Structures are given as structure tokens and as C-alpha cells.
Amino acid sequence: MSTRPLGGSAVSLSPLGFGAATLGNLFREVTDEDARAAVDAAWDAGIRYFDTAPHYGLGLSERRLGAALGGRPRDSYTLSTKVGRLLEPVAGEGGTGRSDEGFAVPATYRRVWDFSADGVRRSLEASLERLGLDRIDIAYLHDPDECGDGGEQALREAYPALERLRAEGVIGAIGAGMNQVAPLVRYVRETDADVLLCAGRYSLLDQRAAAELLPEAVKRGRSVVVGGVFNSGLLADPQPGATYDYKAAPVDLLGRALRIKAVAERHGVPLRAAALAYPALHPAVASVLVGLRSAAEAVDAAAMAAVDVPEELWDELRAEGLLGEESQ
């Protein structure tokens, strides 16, 4: 699998990336064996970009990913993690329950928002310890828009701290990752971030990133990593009960997904392949992240990413009003 340069940095990414929130037991438990097998299968398929965060399973994702990658040449893959949530131990009975925020792990730690400069360094040091690796290639500010002050401290303190670490050569590239487009556009316009991670907002069902974020990234020489291309499940398998943005999919969106699926199948393309191929068409997009929790899912994702999707499929989707003209 080829690699693509990231903005103006020396960091490069494989066009298909491994989103490791799943290794933190997102929604349901994954065994250590299945987590390791997923990473091994992804590696065998040519995937060389791996993304994690302290938030994912209260550090479990970082520990599992670091263990799986630890024996491989460090220069042969790209690793990103995130800052903004510190993990603090929970003492006594408080640590015997289950974690919130969708991860099936014991609540032995609590997440504490911290976008201070000191918090950035403490977060990265803790991540390196959990990963058991010598460096992190990309550091993202994680969901600063969800912090109590609307992300102002992240821009004022955390981002400059990342710039200093990049200048010192501690990190190869820096950026921000969010589920909303407007704050990401602000980072493109007001900072020297190398990369923006946009989750769920550039897919076959949601092209909000196409209006400003992607054109601004191209204009300013920045890169975008797109996550959530299946919109949490609806574009992987549209059927009653499927989820969209981690909630039950509305009836109208389910119907839209089924129409897109029908068009794709008329061109001999599985819906999953079309969902992976679509965001990768934009010149701003350096990599598409997919959450993988098993070897079978990794093999399937690589196979879907290799499908040749004809231009006529996109033309038909636009003609039927299923893709906006701004998404071209």
C-alpha cells in the first residue's frame, strides 16, 4: 500500500488507516487475542497508519496497540494519538463499576479535560508509557470543541505547546480531531496545523466538510484524515436497527442509505467499498480511518478499499440527488 505526505511535514500515511477506538472495547469487549489479530491482519494487508487516544477505553487502546506494534521497525509505520483528556486513577469503590462514554472497560480511571501546555506534555508522556514506544508521529487535540470553554484554552495553550514540540522534533506533525466542521475550519485558517481529523462529516451521507474545510485545506496545503466513513454503521449495513452517529438511524437516512446501496450494486460495487472510496477522492484527504476489531474486519476493509469504483457510480448518485454538487 502506498503512502501519502501529510501537509508540509515529513510524515506520511497509508491511504487506509486503522482506527483503534475499537481496541478500547468501544461498545463491546474485544479480547486481547482478537485485538492483536486485527492489527496483524491490517499490517499484512499493507495498512501502516494507526490512530489511538487515551480516551479510547481509558488507555486500553493505547496499551493494546503498542503491544501489537512493538516488535515492528519503528520507521515502518505512522502512529497518532491525542491530547486533551488526562486519565486520573479512581480510588476504592469508585473504580469497580463500568466506564461511561461507550467503552466496555472498568472505571478504574476518570477522564479530566486539560488543554494546558503542561497537560499536553503530561498526556504525551503517559501515552508513550502506555504504548511502550519511543515516539508518537502525530498528536491531535482531541475534541476541544466539547470542552467547557468551547475550545479556547486548546487554541491558546495546547496548540502552541504542540507547535513547540514539533519544532523540537519530538512530534512529526500536529493537528486537531473533532466531529464538527466549523472548529476544524478555524484551525486551518488560524494555525499552522499539518492535519485535521474530521470524523463523520465527509461521507456518502454527510458532506458538510466539502463546503469549507476541504477547500481551505487544499488552498493552504494542509491534509485531512477522514474518520467515521460508515457513520457508525449505517453505511456498512443499512437495515432497520442500524446506527447513525452512534444512535438509531432515522428512517429517512436509512432510506437514503438503501438508495445509495442500490446504485452502488447496479455498478457491481459493494456499499462498503463505495463508502471507503468516496472521501479518498478529494485531494485534501490523506487517509481514511476505519475502526477494526478483528482480523476478518481488517481483511474485509483492505479488500473493500482495493475495489475499483467507476466514475459512473458517482455520476448516478449526483443525478439522483444523493450526492451534492459541492462534493465533487
Side-chain angles (χ1 to χ4, degrees):
M1 193 175 288
S2 61
T3 60
R4 300 173 182 174
L6 194 61
S9 75
V11 177
S12 60
L13 305 180
S14 56
L16 183 64
F18 189 122
T22 47
L23 303 192
N25 290 359
L26 181 62
F27 300 132
R28 65 179 189 272
E29 293 185 10
V30 175
T31 66
D32 289 342
E33 293 76 16
D34 282 347
R36 179 61 179 261
V39 175
D40 289 346
W43 186 275
D44 291 343
I47 293 173
R48 294 294 184 270
Y49 173 38
F50 300 86
D51 174 71
T52 184
H55 172 56
Y56 302 156
L58 297 173
L60 178 61
S61 173
E62 289 185 320
R63 290 192 294 272
R64 283 174 162 172
L65 186 58
L69 293 174
R72 306 178 195 275
R74 185 61 189 85
D75 291 336
S76 62
Y77 61 88
T78 301
L79 174 72
S80 60
T81 193
K82 306 179 183 74
V83 300
R85 292 176 175 92
L86 294 177
L87 302 181
E88 294 187 352
V90 175
E93 293 298 317
T96 61
R98 302 299 279 177
S99 171
D100 56 3
E101 301 200 47
F103 294 92
V105 294
T108 51
Y109 293 86
R110 66 188 184 98
R111 302 169 178 88
V112 178
W113 289 108
D114 192 333
F115 284 106
S116 67
D118 179 65
V120 166
R121 289 186 178 269
R122 288 171 57 201
S123 181
L124 290 173
E125 288 170 2
S127 288
L128 284 171
E129 184 174 349
R130 285 187 292 267
L131 287 159
L133 300 174
D134 63 352
R135 72 176 187 274
I136 293 159
D137 301 297
I138 306 167
Y140 295 106
L141 302 173
H142 199 184
D143 297 331
D145 55 321
E146 295 183 11
C147 191
D149 69 349
E152 290 305 311
Q153 186 188 30
L155 264 174
R156 187 177 64 251
E157 298 181 38
Y159 174 75
L162 289 182
E163 276 202 337
R164 289 191 291 272
L165 290 169
R166 182 179 61 184
E168 294 167 8
V170 176
I171 300 168
I174 60 174
M178 291 176 252
N179 297 297
Q180 303 303 320
V181 174
L184 289 172
V185 173
R186 187 178 180 189
Y187 272 87
V188 173
R189 290 174 173 164
E190 298 182 19
T191 76
D192 190 34
D194 303 290
V195 57
L196 296 312
L197 199 170
C198 179
R201 304 286 79 89
Y202 193 53
S203 73
L204 287 174
L205 288 173
D206 187 335
Q207 291 105 48
R208 273 177 277 181
E212 289 187 275
L213 177 61
L214 298 178
E216 282 290 311
V218 170
K219 176 182 175 182
R220 298 170 187 268
R222 314 296 172 78
S223 293
V224 175
V225 170
V226 176
V229 296
F230 297 138
N231 288 119
S232 83
L234 184 55
L235 282 171
D237 185 16
Q239 59 177 306
T243 54
Y244 176 82
D245 283 0
Y246 308 108
K247 302 174 185 176
V251 174
D252 61 331
L253 277 180
L254 173 58
R256 189 178 184 87
L258 288 170
R259 290 177 62 197
I260 293 171
K261 179 181 180 181
V263 171
E265 290 180 344
R266 282 201 291 273
H267 292 271
V269 175
L271 177 60
R272 299 189 310 287
L276 283 170
Y278 173 69
L281 294 172
H282 200 284
V285 176
S287 187
V288 174
L289 283 174
V290 182
L292 305 171
R293 64 178 73 242
S294 68
E297 288 187 1
V299 170
D300 179 75
M304 292 298 101
V307 172
D308 185 17
V309 180
E311 182 64 32
E312 291 77 14
L313 188 156
W314 314 124
D315 292 340
E316 185 172 346
L317 288 176
R318 293 187 184 102
E320 293 200 11
L322 295 170
L323 273 184
E325 288 302 312
E326 73 279 359
S327 66
Q328 297 185 56

